[in-house]
């Protein structure tokens, strides 16, 4: 997008202080209309010229006498002298003046002024005074021209007395003044409008530019943050593995017997170390997913086996919390094209959440069944968007009877570090990374994840993964 050239506009330009021209102020149609009606009324030819000499309006018929003069050499010469003289006719300091041409007819020129500046001229004529006779200059112009013919044609010149032409000119000047005034006003208004539009455009562009700068900066910061997270997590992991390893050895008595109290303390160190390691692994996963460097090792995955495995892994946690954990897998489920370990991580995260946010004596149910899903992107159909193209998919549900997620929070819980209730009185632990990893892993499988409300209470996470790998064509 290119901005219109918008140099600094002076006030003068805005108000047309010096650049006003007759043509800008009055429409040519309006001018023509005005001179035509005056011509019809008084029979005198009228022409309006702009200051630079351009003819703007013209109400005149061809005059037979002049046509006849044009047939002779001396006549033509005399006429071109008239044309030149009339063109150069200046109104003078009084605002009007007069010229008598070779035929004895008169031309009257009146200045068109606006704001005490001359912006054009109006020329009335030629006209002959009533009962005037052809002058000798005309009769003796060329022997080729017939005197009788000249007399007849002279009598057919437009006739008007000087006084009438004077008052017609005066009258026209007044009308023009009115036209000019309203034209000026309209022009000013539209110029003001243009100026304000130009100004708001400039302001918008300014803001746009600032936004772009801020956006670029944020993007850069986001990249730095991801890099920082990746580096720090990586550097933390190595010493942490030692802490966990050594505390494990201590607990197992490899460095001699510990008192009960010592063993408790070291066990706490170990547990907290494990928690920290899980967090760091999450951060690393997330940064790998964000930077697109996590590679998925996809293969044929048996969903039924996967669900059973997740349930047996989480069963002790569920039991401890007195939450019932059950599953249901549709018979004859096809295997899906996925990274088994990552998909297991998805289901584990969801199940862990489900148990965590479900109070004692609640229930968590995993289910898997076959379903269909819309083709996700153009790549699925080889670049073509096939309306209603559906792929066979497997749907995995993790339903709980817990505290539920309000509708307004359902998009946000997939953001990294976002927790619905982040207050310090919050009972459940965690860092808010689980679901953001889930979302990215599911995306990496061309799948979808959504949240529904469970009945009568609780949450259902629905993960849908296509059965076949995306094929081109
Ligand atoms: N099954 C669920 N029931 C209610 N709230 C949930 C459930 N799963 C996730 N949430 C909400 O989403 C937030 C983000 O979840 P997650 O990314 O796994 O982080 P974390 O479990 O570490 O808090 C949780 O803190 C919780 O507020
Ligand atoms: Mg979680």
């Amino acid at each position: 997008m290119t901005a219109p050239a918008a140099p600094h506009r002076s006030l003068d330009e805005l108000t047309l202080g010096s650049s006003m021209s007759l043509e800008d102020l009055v429409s040519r149609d309006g001018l023509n209309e005005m001179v035509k009606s005056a011509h019809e009324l008084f029979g005198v030819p009228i022409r309006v010229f702009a200051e630079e000499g351009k003819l703007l309006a013209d109400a005149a018929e061809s005059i037979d006498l002049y046509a006849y003069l044009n047939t002779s050499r001396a006549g033509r010469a005399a006429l071109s002298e008239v044309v030149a003289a009339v063109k150069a006719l200046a109104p003078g300091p009084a605002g009007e003046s007069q010229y008598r041409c070779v035929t004895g007819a008169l031309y009257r020129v009146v200045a068109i002024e606006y704001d005490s500046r001359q912006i054009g001229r109006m020329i009335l004529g030629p006209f002959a005074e009533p009962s005037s006779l052809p002058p000798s200059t005309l009769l003796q112009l060329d022997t080729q021209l017939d005197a009788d013919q000249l007399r007849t044609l002279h009598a057919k010149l437009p006739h008007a007395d000087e006084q009438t032409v004077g008052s017609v000119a005066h009258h026209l000047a007044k009308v023009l003044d009115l036209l000019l005034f309203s034209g000026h006003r309209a022009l000013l208004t539209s110029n003001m409008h243009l100026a304000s539009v130009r100004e708001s455009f400039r302001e918008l562009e300014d803001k746009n530019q600032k936004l772009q700068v801020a956006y670029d900066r944020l993007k850069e910061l986001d990249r730095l943050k991801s890099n920082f997270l990746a580096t720090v997590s990586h550097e933390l992991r190595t010493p942490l593995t030692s802490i966990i390893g050594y505390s494990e050895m201590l607990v197992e008595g490899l460095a001699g017997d510990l008192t009960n109290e010592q063993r408790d303390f070291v066990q706490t160190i170990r547990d907290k170390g494990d928690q920290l390691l899980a967090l760091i692994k999450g951060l690393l996963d997330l940064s790998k997913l964000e930077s697109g460097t996590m590679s998925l090792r996809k293969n044929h995955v048996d969903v039924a086996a996967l669900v059973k495995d997740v349930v047996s892994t989480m069963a002790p946690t569920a039991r401890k919390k007195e939450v019932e954990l059950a599953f249901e897998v549709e018979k004859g489920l096809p295997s899906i094209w996925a990274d088994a370990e990552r998909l297991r991580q998805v289901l584990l995260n969801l199940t862990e959440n489900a148990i965590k946010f479900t109070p004692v004596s609640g229930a968590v149910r995993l289910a898997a069944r076959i379903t269909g899903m819309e083709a996700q992107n153009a790549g699925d159909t080889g670049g073509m968007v096939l309306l209603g193209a559906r792929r066979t998919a497997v749907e995995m549900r993790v339903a709980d009877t817990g505290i539920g997620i309000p509708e307004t929070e359902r998009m946000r819980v997939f953001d990294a570090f976002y927790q619905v209730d982040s207050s310090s009185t919050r009972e459940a632990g965690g860092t808010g990374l689980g679901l953001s990893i889930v979302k990215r892993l599911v995306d990496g499988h061309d799948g979808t994840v959504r949240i529904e409300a469970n009945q009568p209470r609780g949450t259902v996470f629905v993960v849908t993964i296509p059965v076949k790998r995306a094929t081109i064509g």
Side-chain angles (χ1 to χ4, degrees), residues 274-286:
D274 276 342
Q275 264 181 32
L276 207 52
L277 190 63
L279 165 61
I280 288 166
K281 275 187 181 155
L283 284 175
L284 270 175
D285 279 353
L286 191 65

Side-chain angles (χ1 to χ4, degrees), residues 349 352-353 356-357 429-435:
N349 267 330
E352 197 187 318
N353 278 349
K356 185 159 71 172
F357 296 107
T431 51
L433 283 182
L435 286 182

Side-chain angles (χ1 to χ4, degrees), residues 25-252:
L25 292 177
V26 189
S27 81
R28 284 185 134 195
D29 288 348
L31 271 182
N32 263 316
E33 204 55 49
M34 183 190 83
V35 297
K36 223 174 78 193
S37 61
H39 173 62
E40 273 163 16
L41 266 175
F42 304 103
V44 181
I46 307 173
R47 291 182 180 84
V48 174
F49 292 89
E51 188 53 12
E52 339 73 76
K54 184 172 171 191
L55 180 64
L56 294 182
D58 184 0
E61 287 118 31
S62 71
I63 291 165
D64 293 345
L65 176 60
Y66 287 39
Y68 183 56
L69 285 179
N70 248 329
T71 61
S72 95
R73 209 156 157 220
R76 262 200 304 280
L79 278 184
S80 62
E81 218 172 279
V82 171
V83 170
V86 169
K87 265 192 177 168
L89 195 58
E96 52 187 314
S97 67
Q98 209 155 262
Y99 168 76
R100 191 179 294 279
C101 90
V102 68
T103 64
L106 281 170
Y107 289 87
R108 192 186 190 91
V109 59
V110 185
I112 299 172
E113 288 185 344
Y114 191 68
D115 231 10
S116 53
R117 215 163 48 82
Q118 185 179 328
I119 59 174
R121 288 173 306 154
M122 186 160 49
I123 292 176
L124 294 88
F127 62 94
E129 289 126 302
S131 67
S132 65
L133 294 171
S136 53
T137 43
L138 177 62
L139 296 175
Q140 288 156 18
L141 189 62
D142 195 328
T143 45
Q144 267 183 14
L145 296 167
D146 176 53
D148 281 341
Q149 176 76 346
L150 284 173
R151 281 195 192 89
T152 320
L153 291 177
H154 183 273
K156 281 169 56 184
L157 275 174
H159 278 76
D161 66 60
E162 254 183 80
Q163 216 177 345
T164 312
V165 171
S167 52
V168 168
H170 197 66
H171 170 74
L172 282 181
K174 274 196 169 160
V175 174
L176 243 182
D177 209 46
L178 266 178
L179 283 180
L180 286 171
F181 178 69
S182 62
H184 189 189
R185 208 172 47 179
L187 197 61
L188 267 186
T189 315
S190 87
N191 268 32
M192 291 294 216
H193 180 69
L194 258 181
S196 82
V197 167
R198 210 179 281 126
E199 179 61 16
S200 29
F201 181 82
R202 204 188 51 72
E203 268 171 26
L204 264 182
E205 259 211 328
D206 231 45
K207 283 194 183 136
N208 240 343
Q209 211 168 354
K210 282 189 189 139
L211 269 179
Q212 184 64 44
V213 169
Y215 174 76
D216 289 346
R217 214 180 121 63
L218 276 178
K219 243 173 79 171
E220 174 61 11
L221 281 177
D222 192 54
R223 200 186 59 77
L224 286 177
K225 179 218 72 184
S226 296
N227 275 0
F228 173 77
L229 275 184
T231 316
V232 169
S233 322
H234 195 76
E235 294 303 316
L236 282 175
R237 197 163 59 167
T238 323
L240 192 57
T241 330
S242 300
I243 293 174
I244 292 170
Y246 280 105
S247 48
E248 204 165 293
M249 287 193 282
L250 280 176
V251 172
E252 280 168 15

